[in-house]
Amino acid sequence: MTHKFIYLASQSPRRRQLLEQLGVRYELLLPGPEEDAEAIEAVLPGEAPADYVQRVTALKLDAAVVRHAQRRLAPAPILCSDTTVALGPRIYGKPADAQDAARMLAELAGREHQVLTAVALQADGQRLAALSVSRVRFGPITPAQIAAYVASGEPLGKAGAYGIQGPVAQYVENLDGSYTGIMGLPLFETAGLLRAAGVLG
């Protein structure tokens, strides 16, 4: 079945921008005030980063499918995605505040970490999913540089307290994987799911 547009169940402006890069038409399908998005993102004890990001994405998609039905919207595929940063087994979600952001960046400085982005698409009663795993190495970052970056406000609301497309790029010594995946929506994997669902040619 061919679809003219999809629903994007994400608040992220970067994901919107990346979908536009693919030329995909979308409508936002965002949670209402009654939905507890933070509860969905809670980490289970001992959960591995890849298991965590895929589970959270599936839960976000479950919630979006219910929302779509409750709002009696026109049928179309629903896309969800979630990104997490991991240093070994430790999961770095969105920082709670500026102090938490500074702590995360200090721990990531001078080391290699993983960025995992899971994507899930519900289309015609079928669920398709993919996982992108990238490795990023930061060079040294001084406390003054961390303080200046945190003061800019950019780390807040971002997994691992940074956005690869922002000023933090000056500290990225090496990147192995998907740049768009690190931004929040791996376009290679996402395009594959959209093709399978008849959205892209």
Side-chain angles (χ1 to χ4, degrees):
M1 191 171 169
T2 306
H3 298 279
K4 290 188 167 55
F5 76 100
I6 66 167
Y7 292 103
L8 175 63
S10 172
Q11 314 256 14
S12 163
R14 292 164 302 285
R15 291 193 179 114
R16 288 175 221 172
Q17 183 192 335
L18 289 164
L19 266 186
E20 285 160 9
Q21 206 173 314
L22 285 180
V24 173
R25 283 187 52 223
Y26 64 88
E27 290 183 17
L28 295 177
L29 180 60
L30 301 179
E34 73 287 353
E35 291 185 53
D36 188 357
E38 283 186 14
I40 285 179
E41 294 184 0
V43 181
L44 299 178
E47 192 169 25
D51 295 336
Y52 165 77
V53 76
Q54 290 174 101
R55 180 180 63 81
V56 169
T57 302
L59 289 173
K60 283 185 174 180
L61 187 50
D62 290 343
V65 168
V66 170
R67 197 182 309 143
H68 177 270
Q70 286 173 340
R71 295 179 190 173
R72 295 186 169 85
L73 298 170
I78 302 169
L79 181 72
C80 270
S81 185
D82 191 66
T83 302
T84 198
V85 167
L87 187 60
R90 284 189 64 191
I91 291 169
Y92 288 65
K94 295 169 186 152
D97 52 28
Q99 191 179 350
D100 195 31
R103 173 193 63 82
M104 288 185 185
L105 291 162
E107 289 174 10
L108 296 175
R111 304 173 78 175
E112 184 178 273
H113 61 272
Q114 284 191 323
V115 183
L116 305 96
T117 297
V119 187
L121 183 74
Q122 184 87 13
D124 305 319
Q126 186 185 10
R127 184 167 294 201
L128 306 166
L131 176 66
S132 163
V133 182
S134 302
R135 291 197 301 275
V136 177
R137 173 179 286 282
F138 283 161
I141 314 176
T142 68
Q145 288 167 333
I146 288 172
Y149 182 57
V150 171
S152 75
E154 191 178 84
L156 298 175
K158 295 186 175 70
Y162 75 91
I164 192 80
Q165 70 284 359
V168 86
Q170 66 190 296
Y171 306 117
V172 176
E173 190 178 304
N174 189 52
L175 186 160
D176 180 14
S178 166
Y179 185 83
T180 55
I182 296 164
M183 275 181 74
L185 191 69
L187 289 188
F188 180 81
E189 288 81 357
T190 302
L193 300 186
L194 293 171
R195 278 190 205 100
V199 177
L200 279 178

